[in-house]
Amino acid sequence: MDFIDVVIKYTPFFLPAAWMTLKITLLGIAFGMLIGLGTALTRISNNFLLANVSRLYIFLIRGTPLLLQLFFFFYVLRQSLGLEAFSAAYLALAIHNGAYIAEIFRGTIQSIDRGQMEAARSIGMTSSQAMRRIILPQAFKRSIPPLGNQFIIALKDSSLASAITISEVLLQAQRLAAANYKMLEMLTIAAVFYLFYTSIFTWLVSWTEKRLDVDSDKQRGLV
Amino acid sequence: MIKIRNLNKSFGKLKVLKNVDLYVRESEVVVIIGASGSGKSTLLRCINFLEHPQSGTVKINGQLIDKNNEQEINKMRTQVGMVFQHFNLFPHKTVLENVMEGPTQVKGIIKFEAKKLARYYLEKVDLIDKANVYPSMLSGGQKQRVAIARALAMEPSVMLFDEPTSALDPELVGEVLCVMKELAKEGMTMVIVTHEMGFAREVADRVIFMDNGMIIEEGIPDHLFDNPQNSRSQAFLSAII
Ligand SMILES: Nc1ncnc2c1ncn2[C@@H]1O[C@H](COP(=O)(O)OP(=O)(O)OP(=O)(O)O)[C@@H](O)[C@H]1O
Ligand SMILES: [Mg+2]
């Protein structure tokens, strides 16, 4: 059998694994966004305790390998919390990405001119109102490009979940190759799935950016 | 209306306000002048607690403001409008939405009413035709007039202006000063930091000269401009006029 035939023949066997990759990535990103936003907000808050808890969290996550974090969730927390391997995987990914997303949000929130907060406060808004209605909408827009980048990293990082028995794309490639001795073909199929997903992510991000650009063109009065 | 006593403010070791007393009566227009770094903005920002003074008291409309009471400060701010040098309009909201933001979000006025209110104040600053555009489409003078409308829509009893025309091209200064004159005529209480001496002379009931964190001299404009008593005010005025 030649290369193309093998690839075509085995691609359907990857579909459940591809679905798994997508699921843990999307759940990891979604919860990572919530964790990231919460962490960014507490990190810049005046609450000394919370700010330092956030700082510690970011320090721990960014300073250790994702693989270690996955092992920690799988071998330590899974037992004590009674998680499935699947939950351990996406939670570890969420906690991991949350730290990076927190830093993205913190950066863009702090990049908004101080005068915006002052103007909002000067008309009597509370700091959380001002944050929600004035600062975050502007910060969120600036966050789209770095977030898109982080999403792509998260997608590729999800392959590490293979180390904790999650049947995602890379583990599936390994398993099939162990049986059919066609490692190159299996890796090729896996690569194509990753490239397919990253292309979709990239396209989604630039579409969102374009849409927001259209909005800001409107804000600039260009359309 | 505004009673400030013994106000002290430092940034770290730098003492920016030193035992400042300032009374402003209802409908009075007070203009604050002084060299750069003398503490004019800081004084203004201490009135609505954008800066927290280390000591001293601020009374607005007879109410002593407790600097640790966020709620009280927020409530006070609805009565004290502020206009900034760099406008600080909300770029992601239209002109109309900028003006409606305070009434709807802070006062809880329903949208329909807030829209009427916003349109009324935009009319007042002569920008009703720009209601639906975004701030970035406006000239500096128009932006500042929207900022004034945004502050007025809260129906404050005092307006604070921190160099409202300093960031404007010379030909746009007039339209903003014109709106401010109109407000003064209507009896709005105003505290204005400005370098527009002609405007100060025309509109101010009282001019205050600040130097190095202190009020060095004050008086009615004609006296202070034509016959300053303090050597520092003399030096400052001769340098800029
Ligand atoms: N947030 C801050 N942190 C540290 N120092 C500050 C801060 N704000 C103001 N200062 C300092 O306080 C002093 C007074 O500043 P302020 O802005 O009140 O002066 P000003 O009279 O308004 O000057 P200008 O005419 O340039 O606006 C200056 O020396 C300034 O550097
Ligand atoms: Mg100033």
Side-chain angles (χ1 to χ4, degrees), chain A residues 61-145:
Chain A
I61 297 301
R62 293 210 302 182
T64 56
L66 172 56
L67 192 54
L68 183 151
Q69 293 157 19
L70 283 161
F71 282 169
F72 177 73
F73 270 79
F74 185 72
Y75 293 112
V76 183
L77 284 189
R78 189 169 61 105
Q79 295 290 327
S80 43
L81 299 183
L83 298 174
E84 303 166 61
F86 172 70
S87 314
Y90 79 74
L91 286 177
L93 284 172
I95 302 259
H96 179 80
N97 283 289
Y100 288 90
I101 292 171
E103 289 294 89
I104 290 172
F105 280 140
R106 181 171 73 98
T108 53
I109 289 170
Q110 288 179 335
S111 75
I112 303 298
D113 181 57
R114 221 165 55 109
Q116 291 290 308
M117 182 53 101
E118 289 183 349
R121 298 308 300 274
S122 78
I123 52 174
M125 290 178 125
T126 64
S127 57
S128 58
Q129 269 181 322
M131 188 52 83
R132 204 176 63 243
R133 297 194 49 90
I134 307 302
I135 308 297
L136 285 182
Q138 297 180 57
F140 192 72
K141 192 155 128 192
R142 291 189 195 176
S143 305
I144 303 285

Side-chain angles (χ1 to χ4, degrees), chain A residues 190-207:
Chain A
V192 168
F193 273 104
Y194 284 114
L195 287 168
F196 172 67
Y197 283 147
T198 48
S199 308
I200 290 182
F201 278 30
T202 308
W203 177 81
L204 268 176
V205 168
S206 63
W207 179 77

Side-chain angles (χ1 to χ4, degrees), chain A residues 114, chain B residues 11 14 16 34-43 51 163 195:
Chain A
R114 221 165 55 109
Chain B
F11 292 107
L14 182 70
V16 176
S36 181
S38 55
K40 306 178 300 288
S41 299
T42 308
L43 174 57
E51 301 291 357
E163 302 200 26
H195 296 299

Side-chain angles (χ1 to χ4, degrees), chain A residues 21-35:
Chain A
T21 288
L22 189 64
K23 264 196 305 194
I24 58 174
T25 302
L26 290 183
L27 285 168
I29 290 172
F31 287 112
M33 290 276 281
L34 292 177
I35 296 168

Side-chain angles (χ1 to χ4, degrees), chain A residues 114 118, chain B residues 9-12 14-17 32-45 51 85 162-163 166 193 195 210 212-213 236:
Chain A
R114 221 165 55 109
E118 289 183 349
Chain B
K9 170 72 189 172
S10 346
F11 292 107
L14 182 70
K15 281 196 123 190
V16 176
L17 295 178
I32 303 176
I33 59 172
S36 181
S38 55
K40 306 178 300 288
S41 299
T42 308
L43 174 57
L44 214 59
R45 293 158 58 84
E51 301 291 357
Q85 182 175 355
D162 190 358
E163 302 200 26
S166 296
V193 175
H195 296 299
M210 280 189 79
N212 199 15
F236 177 76

